[in-house]
Amino acid sequence: MNDFYRVLKKMKEKGNSGFAMATIINVDGSAYRHPGAKMLFSEDGSGYGTISAGCLEDDLSYHAQEVMTIKEPNTFVYDLRSEDDLTWGQGAGCNGSVKVYVEPYEWGYQPDKHDEPVWPRVEAELESGNKVASARSVSDNNKNRVHLLYTEKGTVLGDADKDIKEKLLPELQRFINGEKKIEVVEVQDYADDFLFELYEPREQLYIFGAGPDVEPLARLASDLDFFVTIIDPRSSHCNERLFPTADQLIVEHPDSYLTKKKFSDKSYVLIMTHSFQRDQHILRTLAQTPLRYLGVLGPRRRTERLMAPEPLSDHIHSPLGLQIGAEGPEEISISIVAELLKVRNKK
């Protein structure tokens, strides 16, 4: 799940409202969500997202209102390991202790020496496909807060004095090019620890074909934070009425689209046109293109015929989806998206 992207969209939607953002920064043992999971609380008492199975949200809502009122961050530790009701967790027995950092947030946050708010800039970077690394001091004192952001293109945003910025930037450069998505870092000669987080753009999912079987797939993929692009030459099929959640609808013949489109090696591509000749052209065009995922709808024998006389490479997924005995568009969509998630989560 791309929790930060969802939080960003909700802040933008609610505009001038004040918020508190809760982030899990450490888990000792096991818990429902992992470090980096977020939940956003607004001034009207609404909550967006979840950081537990329902054990923590009510209490966090109370603390979030306090954080918004006094505009000071705070850290809370919930011990869910006990099986009795006398300790926190209502006898959850989850074998874990969760540390949550709650801080005031607002869409219009504009640090000193910035001529515009930061979060619209961050949103623009993510929409352009760029990663953003964040470093902020995990301090319960708002006066000592530091929040520095570093984009994949090298742009520096946020609020930090010169000395701490010089110490943080090399660490942020290391972090944005590493494998971790969240890390607590100690900085020499500075009292507070720093929470480093990686904000990533949504994964690009390209679906060739706009048949009825693609409709539930596009909805589900959008719900799970994929940037969904549908390519189909038929305007009667490839339209907002049938695909209201799709981010891009390309009414164009696949042959024409492929001549000018360059896919990144992080792209996911599904071939679902139900036309042998079109599927064959798309697959042969993309078979040697580095992609995160390439899959073809239909039996494996059909896909082998699409590539004949060349052998079918192991990196081409066919049939699509995890083998769960799925039947019908909705179930098949679940199996396909489950396989995409398996690849995305590197499982």
Side-chain angles (χ1 to χ4, degrees), residues 4 105 118-119 122 125-126 130-136 146-159 168-178 180-183 185 195-201:
F4 182 75
Y105 254 68
V118 163
W119 297 126
V122 172
E125 290 288 339
L126 295 176
N130 300 314
K131 296 183 291 187
V132 178
S134 164
R136 57 194 190 276
V146 172
H147 197 168
L148 200 63
L149 297 140
Y150 179 78
T151 75
E152 199 170 6
K153 291 184 176 181
T155 304
V156 179
L157 304 167
D159 194 8
L168 285 176
L169 280 180
E171 293 293 332
L172 279 171
Q173 291 165 351
R174 170 194 62 79
F175 181 74
I176 202 170
N177 292 311
K180 294 183 178 180
K181 295 187 177 182
I182 184 168
E183 182 181 10
V185 176
L195 179 65
F196 279 38
E197 288 191 280
L198 186 64
Y199 304 148
E200 296 182 287

Side-chain angles (χ1 to χ4, degrees), residues 302-332:
R302 178 180 183 272
T303 307
E304 290 173 344
R305 287 169 52 213
L306 294 175
M307 286 298 297
E310 298 295 325
L312 184 62
S313 174
D314 289 339
H315 79 278
I316 298 172
H317 295 261
S318 179
L320 281 180
L322 297 182
Q323 301 308 301
I324 58 174
E327 186 174 348
E330 286 76 15
E331 290 188 6
I332 292 172

